[in-house]
Amino acid sequence: MRADVTIVSDLLEARLLAPEPHEAVRVALVIPLSGTLGMVGPGAVNCAKLAVAELNAGAGILGRPVELVLVDGGRSPVEVTADVMSLVEAGAVRALVGSHASDVRIALSRAIGGRLPFVYTPPYEGGEHTPGVYLSGETPERQLLPVLRWFAECRGRKRWALVGNDYVWPRRLHASAAGYLKSCGAEVVTERHAPRGLTDPGPLLHAIAASRADAVLLTLVGADLTLFNRAFAASPLAGRVIRLGAALEENGLLGAGGDDTGELYASMGFFASMATDACADFTERYTSSFGSPAPMLNGHAEAVYGGVRLLSALADRARSLDSAEIDVTSDGVSIMAGRGMLTVTHRHVAQSVHLARADGLAFDVVKTF
């Protein structure tokens, strides 16, 4: 089996030159290459390429080599869905792996209707039960509940501001967080949502200061999160009000110029600084493949690697890429990724979550839940 990686970025070419059933398995890789989340694209594409190279060095998927068809998932749900469905209707792809906003996932899930297996990899709000959709990302009860309890009970942070973008993931995460905070004797003192494409974080900072919050849950994403953190670190709030990012990763920290306040945290299933054998092995393979100047590893990118490997494992267990057959056999399917061993239950993956504190340009993992 060949070890090279074919990526088709011309969607018209992909539709016109769809492989025969006995040839390559083409997978739509739906990754943000533009927009607010565009900064995660390069690393995510690299991690997908690494997964495919490893598969193609062995048996591929179901004995066939794997090719990726790249779709920009950073655009509106309507635009992304139109492109993906043009590939699906032409028979040009057999499966999807995606890391993008939840509103795009919802639109894709509805349009595909279970016809193809769809592995969705980033943290998400929970509650997705569409047949054929497999979710490897962190859900609120694992990503937020134990972390918020720890801050309330061990750090005494009881007055929380919830600040995020205005779409489904932040709003549903805030609803979950409000319940979690109430259960541990804390409260939400203000909640703010900003459209994606934030240009002035000033009103958000003012709302936090006026509320006398001692902690902020951040569900801003991508470039908006970077801009906010840069402004926050330069404000009087820095150092006395903690921030907990639900989508903060290494690219976002670098984009903000690092952070030395000592009170910026992130909760994710993977950080490149984790002191585990799985992380060290994954980092070595990534660096060996793409060199030290490559886009830095982060939780969103590593999850795409795991998503491609999970798709392969699901197909191998079912001996098919038919999503209905995969649904029947998916429970118990396991893979090894940079974050460790992951096992599917009810189309979701249970995993440990790590709380990390920003220390300059890097994250220091301080607790694992």
Side-chain angles (χ1 to χ4, degrees):
M1 187 65 63
R2 71 188 191 222
D4 60 301
V5 179
T6 299
I7 295 186
V8 182
S9 57
D10 186 322
L11 300 187
L12 177 60
E13 176 189 347
R15 293 195 299 270
L16 294 177
L17 301 177
E20 295 297 322
H22 63 280
E23 296 178 343
V25 173
R26 277 196 179 160
V27 177
L29 180 66
V30 188
I31 299 292
L33 304 174
S34 61
T36 307
L37 287 167
M39 67 171 62
V40 307
V45 171
N46 274 359
C47 284
K49 290 170 65 177
L50 176 60
V52 169
E54 292 175 354
L55 290 173
N56 286 350
I61 292 180
L62 300 177
R64 287 173 283 165
V66 184
E67 296 180 353
L68 297 171
V69 179
L70 188 58
V71 178
D72 181 6
R75 298 165 297 154
S76 73
V78 171
E79 292 173 298
V80 178
T81 301
D83 277 351
V84 170
M85 292 310 297
S86 72
L87 296 170
V88 172
E89 298 294 347
V93 294
R94 300 290 308 279
L96 281 75
V97 173
S99 179
H100 42 73
S102 282
D103 50 359
V104 173
R105 183 199 80 248
I106 291 169
L108 285 174
S109 298
R110 289 173 177 169
I112 293 167
R115 282 183 284 173
L116 302 178
F118 175 14
V119 180
Y120 184 68
T121 67
Y124 97 107
E125 64 279 359
E128 174 68 82
H129 299 293
T130 304
V133 180
Y134 310 93
L135 304 113
S136 64
E138 305 88 326
T139 51
E141 68 270 22
R142 300 193 70 89
Q143 186 184 19
L144 291 185
L145 176 56
V147 176
L148 293 174
R149 182 183 293 127
W150 184 82
F151 275 116
E153 296 177 354
C154 299
R155 294 291 308 275
R157 302 297 174 137
K158 299 296 183 71
R159 296 177 58 83
W160 284 77
L162 310 182
V163 177
N165 288 116
D166 191 6
Y167 71 104
V168 59
W169 178 70
R171 287 195 173 275
R172 291 189 183 173
L173 222 65
H174 288 185
S176 295
Y180 301 154
L181 289 167
K182 184 178 181 180
S183 72
C184 47
E187 63 177 326
V188 176
V189 295
T190 189
E191 181 176 2
R192 292 290 186 273
H193 295 272
R196 280 173 282 188
L198 183 67
T199 58
D200 179 13
L204 298 177
L205 297 174
H206 177 75
I208 294 167
S211 72
R212 296 184 294 111
D214 55 23
V216 184
L217 172 63
L218 289 170
T219 57
L220 297 166
V221 298
D224 290 359
L225 179 60
T226 296
L227 178 64
F228 176 90
N229 278 329
R230 193 181 301 125
F232 191 103
S235 79
L237 297 168
R240 63 182 180 85
V241 177
I242 71 158
R243 286 161 288 157
L244 171 63
L248 178 62
E249 39 73 46
E250 285 82 352
N251 278 311
L253 183 60
L254 178 65
D259 193 278
D260 294 312
T261 67
E263 296 290 9
L264 174 60
Y265 294 84
S267 174
M268 294 283 283
F270 176 88
F271 292 97
S273 57
M274 294 191 318
T276 65
D277 290 342
C279 179
D281 181 62
F282 179 68
T283 301
E284 181 180 356
R285 300 197 319 271
Y286 181 85
T287 303
S288 176
S289 295
F290 303 107
S292 54
M296 61 178 55
L297 278 176
N298 59 81
H300 297 309
E302 181 273 344
V304 171
Y305 170 89
V308 175
R309 296 303 303 243
L310 181 58
L311 173 65
S312 174
L314 290 165
D316 285 348
R317 169 71 73 83
R319 299 183 180 179
S320 172
L321 277 164
D322 181 274
S323 57
E325 295 184 30
I326 291 175
D327 274 357
V328 173
T329 59
S330 62
D331 274 7
V333 169
S334 296
I335 60 161
M336 177 62 72
R339 61 188 66 196
M341 184 67 71
L342 304 176
T343 301
V344 176
T345 303
H346 303 308
R347 296 197 293 270
H348 286 71
V349 169
Q351 60 189 288
S352 296
V353 167
H354 311 279
L355 177 65
R357 183 178 64 86
D359 182 8
L361 293 171
F363 282 109
D364 178 27
V365 175
V366 296
K367 195 166 182 62
T368 296
F369 299 93

